[in-house]
Amino acid sequence: MLLRTALLFLSRNRTLRRWVETSALARRLTGRFIAGLHLEDAIAVCRRLNGVGLLVTLDCLGEEVTSVAEVEAASKAYHALLDSIERLGLRSTVSLKLSQFGLGFSERLCYDSVESVVRRAASVPTSVEVDMESLGYVDRTLALVVRMHEAHGNVRGVIQAYLKRSYDDLAMLCERGIPVRLCKGAYREPASVAYQTRAEIRGNFLRLARILLDRGVYPGFATHDEFLIRRIREYAREAGIPASRYEFQMLYGVRRDLERSFLEDGLRLRLYVPYGEAWYPYFMRRLAEHPANLLLLLKNLFRR
Ligand SMILES: Cc1cc2nc3c(=O)[nH]c(=O)nc-3n(C[C@H](O)[C@H](O)[C@H](O)COP(=O)(O)OP(=O)(O)OC[C@H]3O[C@@H](n4cnc5c(N)ncnc54)[C@H](O)[C@@H]3O)c2cc1C
């Protein structure tokens, strides 16, 4: 727990981030979780995954930006990404973070920039998955998802099972027919608002997953937790819900060992494939989730 807290704290450290993101050695070590620094790297990975039957969601990394120029750059990057998805006929959605589109300093700018991405995605056609960030962003993120859904339809919201408020948020999204990605939640939130133990988080995840299977629109279950995956599959089977009505989602590089069995069992699996230069906070959250990754990283560092 202490290590997780420390890693999440470091994930927000700007000085360390600047130093690490420009280090060639660090970049080599991140290859397991990040497709590469450039759009072409992500496209190559996406084509390979599509080729074996996996669906993809592409994420051009970035978050917590502080200037209009950075928002414009993010918007441009997503338009280029959508151009490639259309041109190559890739089976991929896109995932983005609102703090990458300036939510932290201008709601108006964020809304307009994201809307242009959502509109372009609709013409591909594909959809935009709006990642959920830390608690301070939740209300504004859900509000934007609702507005985008009303205006364009092709968005998916994210619900974090560790938040105690998530039952109400999920009910609201289901009522409006908005597709949901359900995940555990990757940030550090206090016990007053978030479940802290694995058992509580799993319990809430399953409760919400059942609601999504009963009355959600094409839900995505984003987890590598085999206990949850098994229980969700059992529930769907018992309720007679076909595998085409939902999908599982995993992060690129995390459980390569499981991917093949999903396909063999006729299940839909979408991999979240991040790319780009701003990889540091994403990478640190992956270390925090699974501190054993830190050992692997250190082993690689001292090899040879
Ligand atoms: C597709 C996708 C999208 C997501 N989007 C969001 C989002 O928008 N907002 C948000 O807050 N969170 C998001 N997350 C992260 C999520 O909230 C969790 O932090 C993360 O998935 C770990 O939880 P878990 O359900 O996999 O269970 P865990 O209990 O953490 O992991 C289960 C098992 O999976 C393996 N595993 C898990 N993580 C790792 C790792 N990093 N490295 C190696 N092995 C690992 C281990 O074997 C572990 O025992 C997303 C996750 C996925 C898969």
Side-chain angles (χ1 to χ4, degrees):
M1 186 58 103
L2 208 61
L3 188 54
R4 177 169 187 262
T5 306
L7 288 164
L8 287 175
F9 173 76
L10 288 176
S11 77
R12 296 190 305 275
N13 185 298
R14 284 179 182 273
T15 314
L16 190 60
R17 175 175 174 175
R18 258 196 308 279
W19 178 70
V20 173
E21 276 177 356
T22 51
S23 142
L25 174 65
R27 265 191 233 145
R28 265 210 336 262
L29 297 174
T30 56
R32 173 172 166 203
F33 297 114
I34 289 143
L37 296 184
H38 309 291
L39 174 61
E40 304 80 66
D41 302 322
I43 296 301
V45 168
C46 183
R47 293 180 86 162
R48 178 168 58 74
L49 297 173
N50 280 174
V52 296
L54 293 163
L55 302 167
V56 170
T57 184
L58 286 161
D59 168 32
C60 178
L61 290 164
E63 53 196 272
E64 302 289 356
V65 306
T66 51
S67 70
V68 175
E70 286 172 293
V71 174
E72 285 169 357
S75 183
K76 209 167 141 201
Y78 272 91
H79 278 271
L81 176 54
L82 288 162
D83 289 347
S84 297
I85 291 175
E86 181 179 53
R87 186 165 42 83
L88 299 167
L90 300 174
R91 298 176 73 199
S92 179
T93 61
V94 297
S95 286
L96 54 78
K97 290 188 173 41
L98 296 188
S99 73
Q100 181 183 13
F101 282 80
L103 188 61
F105 66 93
S106 167
E107 270 187 56
R108 182 78 250 161
L109 176 68
C110 176
Y111 184 87
D112 290 346
S113 316
V114 172
E115 183 168 43
S116 89
V117 172
V118 174
R119 197 182 295 117
R120 175 70 184 102
S123 73
V124 170
T126 188
S127 48
V128 175
E129 312 203 14
V130 183
D131 290 351
M132 189 56 82
E133 301 176 70
S134 52
L135 185 64
Y137 288 116
V138 172
D139 280 326
R140 286 173 291 165
T141 301
L142 290 174
L144 182 137
V145 166
V146 167
R147 285 179 68 189
M148 291 294 161
H149 180 261
E150 279 167 3
H152 304 284
N154 58 323
V155 286
R156 192 202 283 267
V158 175
I159 293 289
Q160 297 158 319
Y162 65 10
L163 291 186
K164 293 179 179 171
R165 58 176 283 171
S166 284
Y167 177 86
D168 293 334
D169 293 337
L170 186 89
M172 182 277 289
L173 292 177
C174 284
E175 209 166 282
R176 292 168 184 271
I178 301 176
V180 168
R181 171 202 299 160
L182 178 63
C183 64
K184 285 185 181 170
Y187 301 83
R188 181 104 198 96
E189 307 293 2
S192 53
V193 295
Y195 299 113
Q196 305 289 318
T197 67
R198 165 177 280 234
E200 285 174 325
I201 298 169
R202 273 182 169 168
N204 203 37
F205 195 113
L206 281 178
R207 175 176 178 233
L208 301 178
R210 289 188 195 114
I211 296 172
L212 283 172
L213 285 168
D214 289 342
R215 49 191 167 97
V217 177
Y218 193 63
F221 302 108
T223 181
H224 316 95
D225 187 334
E226 290 180 72
F227 168 80
L228 290 179
I229 293 167
R230 217 171 26 246
R231 296 293 293 273
I232 290 167
R233 290 182 63 177
E234 276 165 16
Y235 185 81
R237 202 171 37 241
E238 281 160 18
I241 298 163
S244 57
R245 288 249 325 272
Y246 62 95
E247 66 182 30
F248 286 99
Q249 299 192 341
M250 291 191 188
L251 301 175
Y252 175 67
V254 169
R255 290 303 304 264
R256 292 199 175 142
D257 55 323
L258 288 184
E259 291 164 14
R260 186 191 292 260
S261 67
F262 269 77
L263 297 176
E264 285 169 357
D265 291 349
L267 295 167
R268 292 191 181 182
L269 177 60
R270 186 180 301 279
L271 291 196
Y272 184 108
V273 177
Y275 71 97
E277 293 183 0
W279 50 261
Y280 174 78
Y282 177 88
F283 181 68
M284 292 299 279
R285 283 196 297 276
R286 302 295 76 83
L287 291 187
E289 272 154 19
H290 197 63
N293 285 334
L294 199 58
L295 280 180
L296 282 181
L297 198 75
L298 293 174
K299 248 195 244 160
N300 278 333
L301 204 61
F302 292 113
R303 192 171 284 163
R304 179 148 26 131

